[in-house]
C-alpha cells in the first residue's frame, strides 16, 4: 500500500475563526477555479486556497493515514476559534478513490473557509495573509457552447453482457450483490465553470448534498456518515425506481418499489453493511423499522435512516473509512464484489462512489457517497451512474436505471 505524503502548514501557523455575516449564495463567493464546497439547502462550507495538502496514498489504511495527518496539522497550528461549532477551526475537505488500489485520494486544508449554519456564519483563515472581503462574483447563467457526447468506456451492449455475467455469478453462489457502474463523457469547446454546475445541482436537488472537491462535482442523496461530537447519523439508499409522469403513476411506482422483493433484498444488504460497522462502535444505534421512499426530481429510492451515540472516539474520517465501501455501492461479500467490479465494469471509477466531504480538527464532519457526480477536466466531464445487481436482476432494467441516474448530472450541463 502507498504511504502518506503531506504538504503541511508551518508549525505555529495561526488558524483564526471569526463570526461574519455571510449573505447570498455561498457558491458565488468561490473563485472561478479550485473552489471547494459542501452544501445543502444553502448551508454548509465553501473554501479556497491551499494551506495544506495530504496525499494519503493507496490501500485500506489511507483513511487512517489522512486522519493522522490532519491531527498532526492541527497539533502544529495555533488555533483561535471562539465560534466552536462543527466546521470551525482547522477544517479539511476530502475525497477518496473507490478502489483502495487506485491513487488519487486527497485531503485539502483551504486558506479560507466560509461556513453558514442557521443564523450563524463564520470565516476561518489559515496563515498570516488575512482574508479577502466577502464579495460575490456573478455566475454566468449560460455556458454558451453546445454540449457534445464522447461516449462511454463500455458500450451499452457490452455493459448488458457484464450485468448478465454478474447475475450468473450471483446465481452460482459466488456473491449476493454487486454494484456495476458506467460512465458517460461529455465535452464542449469552452471550459466548464464548476460553480455554475454546482449552483444548478443545488437548485434542482435541494435535498441532496452538493459537493465540489478538486474537479469532483456532484449532488449526492446518500449521507455516508455525519459525526457531531458523540452523535452519528447515516442515510442508507438502495433500490430505485423512476418518477412518474403524473401523481398517480408516481404513487404506483413508489408502491411497487416498496413491495419489490428484489429491491427490498438489495436494500437490506446495504443497511446490514452499515449496521455491522456502526453497532460495535455505538452505545446506542437506532434504525428505521421499515424503509421509506426518498423522492428526488428524477428518481426515488428506498431509504433507511440510522442514528446513534458513539462509545469510542472515532472521527468522521475514520468512520467513513470503516464504512467504505457499503453494500449500496460495492456489494456483498465486499472483497468478492470488488474483484467482480474490477473484472466486469470495464472502467476505472476514480473517486466515484467513494467518500467525499469534510472533517474538522475535533473529528466532527460529514461525508457523503460521491453519487450523481462528474469528474471535470477543463472542457471535458466524465459522468457516472451505477445499479445494484442481485438475483433476478434484468440487464435491460439495470441499464435503464443508469440512464435515469445519468440524467441528474446531464441536466446540470443544460442551461
Amino acid at each position: 500500500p502507498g504511504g502518506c505524503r503531506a504538504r503541511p502548514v508551518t508549525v505555529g501557523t495561526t488558524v483564526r475563526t471569526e463570526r461574519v455575516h455571510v449573505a447570498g449564495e455561498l457558491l458565488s463567493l468561490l473563485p472561478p477555479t479550485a473552489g471547494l464546497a459542501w452544501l445543502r439547502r444553502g448551508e454548509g462550507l465553501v473554501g479556497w486556497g491551499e494551506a495544506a495538502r495530504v496525499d494519503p496514498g493507496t490501500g485500506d489504511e489511507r483513511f487512517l493515514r489522512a486522519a493522522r495527518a490532519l491531527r498532526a496539522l492541527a497539533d502544529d497550528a495555533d488555533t483561535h476559534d471562539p465560534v466552536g461549532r462543527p466546521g470551525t477551526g482547522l477544517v479539511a475537505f476530502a475525497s477518496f478513490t473507490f478502489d483502495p488500489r487506485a491513487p488519487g485520494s486527497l485531503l485539502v486544508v483551504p486558506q479560507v473557509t466560509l461556513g453558514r449554519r442557521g443564523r450563524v456564519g463564520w470565516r476561518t483563515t489559515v496563515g498570516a495573509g488575512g482574508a479577502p472581503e466577502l464579495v460575490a462574483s456573478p455566475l454566468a447563467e449560460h455556458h454558451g457552447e453546445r454540449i457534445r457526447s464522447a461516449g462511454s468506456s463500455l458500450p451499452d451492449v457490452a455493459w448488458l453482457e457484464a450485468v448478465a455475467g454478474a447475475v450468473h455469478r450471483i446465481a452460482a453462489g459466488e456473491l449476493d450483490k454487486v454494484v456495476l457502474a458506467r460512465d458517460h463523457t461529455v465535452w464542449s469547446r469552452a471550459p466548464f465553470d464548476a460553480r455554475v454546475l454546482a449552483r444548478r445541482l443545488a437548485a434542482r436537488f435541494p435535498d441532496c448534498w452538493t459537493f465540489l472537491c478538486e474537479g469532483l462535482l456532484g449532488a449526492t442523496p446518500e449521507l455516508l456518515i455525519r459525526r457531531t461530537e458523540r452523535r452519528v447519523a447515516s442515510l442508507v439508499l438502495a433500490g430505485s425506481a423512476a418518477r412518474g409522469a403524473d401523481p398517480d403513476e408516481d404513487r404506483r411506482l413508489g408502491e411497487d418499489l416498496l413491495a419489490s422483493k428484489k429491491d427490498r433484498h438489495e436494500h437490506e444488504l446495504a443497511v446490514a453493511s452499515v449496521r455491522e460497522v456502526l453497532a460495535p462502535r455505538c452505545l446506542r444505534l437506532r434504525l428505521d423499522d421499515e424503509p421509506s421512499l426518498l423522492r428526488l426530481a428524477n428518481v426515488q429510492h428506498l431509504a433507511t435512516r440510522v442514528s446513534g451515540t458513539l462509545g469510542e472516539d472515532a472521527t468522521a474520517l475514520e468512520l467513513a473509512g470503516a464504512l467504505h465501501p457499503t453494500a449500496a455501492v460495492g456489494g456483498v461479500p465486499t472483497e468478492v464484489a470488488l474483484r467482480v467490479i474490477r473484472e466486469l465494469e470495464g472502467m476505472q471509477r476514480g473517486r466515484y462512489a467513494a467518500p467525499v466531504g469534510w472533517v474538522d480538527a475535533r473529528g466532527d464532519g460529514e461525508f457523503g457517497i460521491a453519487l450523481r457526480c462528474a469528474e471535470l477536466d477543463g472542457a471535458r466531464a466524465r459522468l457516472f451512474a451505477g445499479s445494484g445487481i442481485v438475483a433476478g436482476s434484468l440487464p435491460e432494467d439495470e441499464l435503464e436505471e443508469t440512464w435515469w441516474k445519468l440524467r441528474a448530472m446531464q441536466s446540470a450541463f443544460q442551461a
Side-chain angles (χ1 to χ4, degrees), residues 350-396:
R351 293 179 288 161
Y352 165 71
V356 59
W358 63 271
V359 61
D360 64 25
R362 290 176 292 269
D364 289 335
E366 292 179 304
F367 281 88
I369 300 176
L371 303 173
R372 52 171 87 224
C373 66
E375 285 269 14
L376 302 181
D377 182 13
R380 298 179 68 83
R382 187 169 170 238
L383 287 55
F384 301 90
S387 185
I389 314 303
V390 294
S393 290
L394 295 176
E396 291 77 12

Side-chain angles (χ1 to χ4, degrees), residues 143 145-151 184-192 375-383 413-414:
H143 180 62
E145 292 284 344
R146 183 168 65 88
I147 308 303
R148 298 163 170 84
S149 172
H184 185 75
T185 300
V186 298
W187 66 281
S188 173
R189 296 189 185 279
F192 295 114
E375 285 269 14
L376 302 181
D377 182 13
R380 298 179 68 83
R382 187 169 170 238
L383 287 55
F413 289 86
Q414 308 300 321

